[in-house]
Amino acid sequence: MRIASASPTPSRAAGTESHAGRILAVAGDSSASARSALAASWVRSLNRYGLDPMDQRPPLTLTDCELREARERVEPLLRAAQANLDLLFHAVGGTGCCVLFTDRNGVPVDRRGAEGDNETFHRWGLWPGAVWSEQHEGTNGIGTCLAEERPLTIHRDEHFHSRNIGLSCTVAPIFDHEGKLAAALDVSSCRSDLTGAFVGLIATAVADAARRIEAQNFKQAFPDARIILAPDTDRCTTALLAVDADDLIIGATRAARAAYGITSGRLAKPLPASTILDRLADRPEDFEQAERGLLQRSLARAQGNVSAAAKALHISRATLHRKMNRLGLHPNRRT
């Protein structure tokens, strides 16, 4: 693994110190982490990982051999991602953005970018082989998305390191055919004129592409199975089931596992598809009641903290809010 060194120019020194001071002030507030996911990430970066926000060294970089091995470890998923990486770059590349596909350690193993922007993105470390884990880079789009297992945007001065405050990174996690965190999909920009509305559009495009990659990878993992799009209460996820010739469920995406309580233990035993699909089709009110109870218990255990409850349920905070609104639930009281 290689590491380069750099130092801030005099013109950036004041801004660097100001940004670092803001992070130190937030970290010194004992209640900040409970109020803000961003503050919690800053505190992790400072206290758990021992990072310095004023550190001007660029990201660590894998050797060519290490990068090749990293690519080999995610090869099936990377193969499933190719078409969607092209489509995503076609949608955002003209606006000065690059697309990165990383492994679960935050290392980009594939990239899409305009040739004219390559020098700029390479200088920022948005390049295959750079290590963008939260442990090494502090709060950043790729690393924090992987640490929290949820889609997010880290915009400019939300980054931990002052040298990264020129970046805007929108990222979604990618889960493999067993529902395990496997990769991340990132769209990054160095432009200073990105509006909140445009970042929102990028976030939607990234999340959609990540779901399509998961679906394609799931189909690749079960080539001889019948793939069923299961009835799912959350239209923003893809709940897929793989069913064999005997009508036994042999695989389920993360969304299907969360929606129907399917565990690896249940899949290790014969699990008739009718056990889940017929029950839900015949008695949808029972499923809604069960879902309501599950959310209520999770919120109660989290003492009304929506972010903590969402993490325990392995869904995003936004998804949990949608479910709560649909079921008429509120975090501060039991209904």
Side-chain angles (χ1 to χ4, degrees):
M1 186 175 290
R2 299 186 293 264
I3 184 169
S5 61
S7 57
T9 61
S11 61
R12 292 182 57 194
T16 296
E17 293 176 1
S18 174
H19 178 70
R22 178 181 169 216
I23 289 177
L24 292 173
V26 169
D29 182 347
S30 59
S31 64
S33 293
R35 298 195 308 267
S36 164
L38 177 63
S41 177
W42 282 357
V43 170
R44 285 196 303 271
S45 303
L46 195 66
N47 296 337
R48 183 184 301 177
Y49 308 133
L51 300 176
D52 178 0
M54 294 181 65
D55 186 348
Q56 294 299 305
R57 292 174 296 177
L60 295 173
T61 304
L62 300 186
T63 64
D64 292 341
C65 180
E66 290 170 332
L67 177 57
R68 184 166 56 252
E69 291 173 350
R71 282 178 173 147
E72 290 173 354
R73 285 192 290 269
V74 294
E75 193 277 331
L77 191 58
L78 186 57
R79 187 171 68 251
Q82 291 304 303
N84 282 293
L85 293 180
D86 292 337
L87 287 172
L88 183 58
F89 178 67
H90 181 74
V92 303
T95 62
C97 297
C98 73
V99 175
L100 296 172
F101 183 92
T102 85
D103 67 7
R104 64 183 179 184
N105 298 314
V107 176
V109 294
D110 203 355
R111 178 185 178 276
R112 300 290 188 276
E115 186 175 352
D117 297 329
N118 283 350
E119 182 179 351
T120 298
F121 285 121
H122 190 273
R123 187 169 62 248
W124 281 99
L126 295 169
W127 206 259
V131 181
W132 284 94
S133 66
E134 192 180 69
Q135 179 180 356
H136 287 95
E137 280 299 300
T139 306
N140 72 89
I142 293 169
T144 303
C145 165
L146 290 167
E148 299 183 357
E149 299 189 8
R150 65 182 181 92
L152 51 76
T153 294
I154 299 297
H155 185 61
R156 299 183 69 79
D157 64 359
E158 292 177 339
H159 284 83
F160 179 80
H161 279 137
S162 58
R163 58 177 158 78
N164 291 331
I165 62 176
L167 300 175
S168 181
C169 307
T170 299
V171 197
I174 295 175
F175 298 89
D176 67 14
H177 62 286
E178 295 181 334
K180 299 175 182 177
L181 181 67
L185 182 62
D186 166 71
V187 169
S188 287
S189 173
C190 306
R191 293 181 57 163
S192 60
D193 59 349
L194 281 183
T195 65
F198 189 65
V199 170
L201 292 175
I202 292 176
T204 299
V206 171
D208 287 345
R211 288 195 296 271
R212 291 195 300 270
I213 291 170
E214 288 178 352
Q216 180 61 31
N217 181 65
F218 188 76
K219 294 172 184 176
Q220 282 184 181
F222 300 99
D224 299 322
R226 186 168 80 256
I227 305 299
I228 297 176
L229 177 60
D232 187 14
T233 57
D234 182 1
R235 296 179 63 186
C236 291
T237 60
T238 303
L240 300 179
L241 300 173
V243 179
D244 68 11
D246 297 319
D247 275 341
L248 298 177
I249 296 176
I250 57 174
T253 61
R254 184 173 185 266
R257 290 168 185 250
Y260 306 136
I262 300 173
T263 64
S264 296
R266 291 188 70 187
L267 288 173
K269 303 173 183 178
L271 179 60
S274 59
T275 301
I276 291 177
L277 300 180
D278 289 352
R279 174 169 55 85
L280 295 177
D282 293 341
R283 306 186 67 179
E285 69 281 359
D286 285 356
F287 178 69
E288 182 171 303
Q289 183 177 355
E291 184 181 31
R292 179 190 295 273
L294 175 63
L295 298 190
Q296 286 177 321
R297 290 191 297 274
S298 297
L299 287 166
R301 283 194 292 268
Q303 298 181 332
N305 186 309
V306 176
S307 295
K311 187 172 184 179
L313 290 166
H314 302 292
I315 59 177
S316 70
R317 190 171 184 271
T319 295
L320 179 53
H321 270 300
R322 284 193 294 271
K323 290 178 179 288
M324 290 167 57
N325 290 335
R326 176 172 53 78
L327 295 170
L329 297 176
H330 302 279
N332 295 325
R333 70 174 188 271
R334 295 184 179 183
T335 57

